[in-house]
Amino acid sequence: MTTAEPTEPSGTETGIRLTGRGVAVFAALAAAVVALALVVPALADRFQSANGGVLLSDVAKGWSHTVLHPAYWVFLAVLALLEWRWPARRGEGLLSTGGAQDLAWLLLAPFFTLTLVAGYVHVLDALYDGPLGGTALDVEGTLGTAVAFVLAFLLADFFMWFSHWVRHKVPPLWRFHQVHHSQRAMSALTDNRVHFFESIVSATLAYVPARLLGLGDEAALLLALGTVYFTGFTHANLRTNLGPLRYVVVTPQSHRIHHSTQEPHWDKNFGAICSIWDRLFRTQYHPADEYPGVGIDDQDFPLEHSTRPAAVLATYGRQLVYPFRKVAADLRR
Ligand SMILES: [Zn+2]
Ligand SMILES: [Zn+2]
């Protein structure tokens, strides 16, 4: 196995040079979104109420606390600077063709998570509260708020690990998860490249345990936001394994291994926040100094090649439809 050099370009990925124009476009976009948040607070409230109280990171990613919140854009700007200063590999990062495509996934995701996915979770709510009687354990009353929060955190993190493992091991689900892995340029936005069908799968797997634990809206939101920021960081194009912290948490280096194009790295490091599940279930890749190129080996996948807005949108549509086409083709075989 080879260890990648830091200056080696990643596959066919073409990096966007940090030009004044690029920074201006990025800043204008961020300013437009922040202005939107200020002008339409009711919109933000609506997004929040559609997602609050669900212990599932993908569904609970409300726009009001991410895209429509200045803190998220400051977070991205800081990571862009860190990526520029300490890149895992040159040509990757936020200012790349892949970064532009991830931005489309970030901005367009709410159309599905706030409609199809939220609607699906409401159906689960109705089933759970109706025929299943809405059973919940009073963990907070019995063990106290702090213990209940830690338990909920560990439960949520375990189910993110488990759901991720399932999406790799069940072939039709891999077709959808493949979209996330299609990125050839890791960046702080890559975790937004998630097909809405994956959110439905995650919601289904974690629903009953999350409801049983009965976490309140505020704690659920805190968990969801913590996950958004942390997984943003672990997807960034950063050359760090966080030293001894890597034995407890996922790092930009360990998650890059998960996205690697090299076969020895496949089906390793499924963790979202804690690395303990991978260590427990023997799916951890132990060497912590490799920074391989990333992507998938699928010649048919509609990869992005341009940062022109029309091309990015067209590619987004093709990437969204591709898993359905692929599953249908698999079934016909
Ligand atoms: Zn994966
Ligand atoms: Zn990932």
Side-chain angles (χ1 to χ4, degrees):
M1 190 176 307
T2 56
T3 302
E5 292 300 320
T7 52
E8 187 184 328
S10 185
T12 55
E13 179 57 32
T14 310
I16 295 175
R17 284 179 45 219
L18 189 66
T19 61
R21 191 165 159 236
V23 171
V25 168
F26 192 77
L29 195 66
V33 173
V34 171
L36 187 68
L38 296 174
V39 171
V40 203
L43 186 71
D45 285 347
R46 185 130 32 95
F47 282 134
Q48 175 48 33
S49 63
N51 288 297
V54 183
L55 182 58
L56 303 164
S57 65
D58 288 338
V59 181
K61 282 176 182 174
W63 249 24
S64 57
H65 289 269
T66 54
V67 174
L68 294 183
H69 201 291
Y72 185 66
W73 294 90
V74 171
F75 168 74
L76 291 181
V78 169
L79 280 178
L81 271 176
L82 295 176
E83 285 180 334
W84 169 74
R85 180 65 185 82
W86 291 286
R89 294 171 75 96
R90 298 274 173 209
E92 297 191 22
L94 280 165
L95 296 170
S96 67
T97 312
Q101 196 64 41
D102 285 345
L103 191 62
W105 280 93
L106 170 73
L107 297 178
L108 297 171
F111 289 109
F112 299 100
T113 52
L114 298 177
T115 54
L116 292 177
V117 182
Y120 175 72
V121 172
H122 283 303
V123 171
L124 292 182
D125 282 342
L127 283 173
Y128 194 83
D129 292 331
L132 293 174
T135 311
L137 306 171
D138 185 17
V139 179
E140 200 171 339
T142 314
L143 300 172
T145 304
V147 176
F149 185 81
V150 171
L151 277 180
F153 165 73
L154 289 174
L155 184 87
D157 193 50
F158 169 73
F159 272 94
M160 283 189 275
W161 179 92
F162 176 62
S163 151
H164 193 179
W165 181 84
V166 168
R167 283 174 281 151
H168 273 255
K169 297 296 179 183
V170 178
L173 300 186
W174 164 249
R175 294 297 188 198
F176 290 91
H177 186 53
Q178 201 181 19
V179 173
H180 178 65
H181 281 264
S182 68
Q183 179 56 276
R184 296 162 297 163
M186 299 293 279
S187 84
L189 283 178
T190 298
D191 197 37
N192 295 286
R193 186 186 289 229
V194 173
H195 199 285
F196 69 85
F197 190 74
E198 287 203 78
S199 305
I200 288 178
V201 173
S202 309
T204 308
L205 291 174
Y207 187 82
V208 171
R211 284 299 305 272
L212 268 180
L213 214 57
L215 198 68
D217 282 10
E218 271 183 28
L221 183 67
L222 188 65
L223 272 180
L225 282 181
T227 305
V228 168
Y229 279 92
F230 190 78
T231 55
F233 167 69
T234 56
H235 281 85
N237 178 39
L238 288 174
R239 183 160 280 261
T240 178
N241 62 16
L242 297 183
L245 273 180
R246 70 177 183 272
Y247 294 107
V248 184
V249 295
V250 176
T251 73
Q253 186 277 332
S254 70
H255 197 64
R256 172 173 286 275
I257 291 291
H258 179 73
H259 281 257
S260 171
T261 53
Q262 298 177 23
E263 201 166 345
H265 299 152
W266 294 353
D267 287 350
K268 301 286 183 194
N269 301 3
F270 293 104
I273 296 178
C274 297
S275 58
I276 53 175
W277 312 114
D278 281 308
R279 294 180 191 281
L280 198 63
F281 296 105
R282 299 179 185 277
T283 48
Q284 180 72 32
Y285 184 79
H286 292 286
D289 57 354
E290 297 170 30
Y291 292 84
V294 297
I296 50 171
D297 181 23
D298 182 346
Q299 303 300 320
D300 299 330
F301 192 89
L303 293 169
E304 58 273 15
H305 293 287
S306 169
T307 54
R308 283 186 304 110
V312 170
L313 273 181
T315 301
Y316 173 77
R318 282 196 287 273
Q319 292 182 344
L320 200 62
V321 170
Y322 182 76
F324 292 111
R325 284 181 40 219
K326 205 74 182 173
V327 168
D330 290 345
L331 287 174
R332 280 198 298 271
R333 257 193 235 143

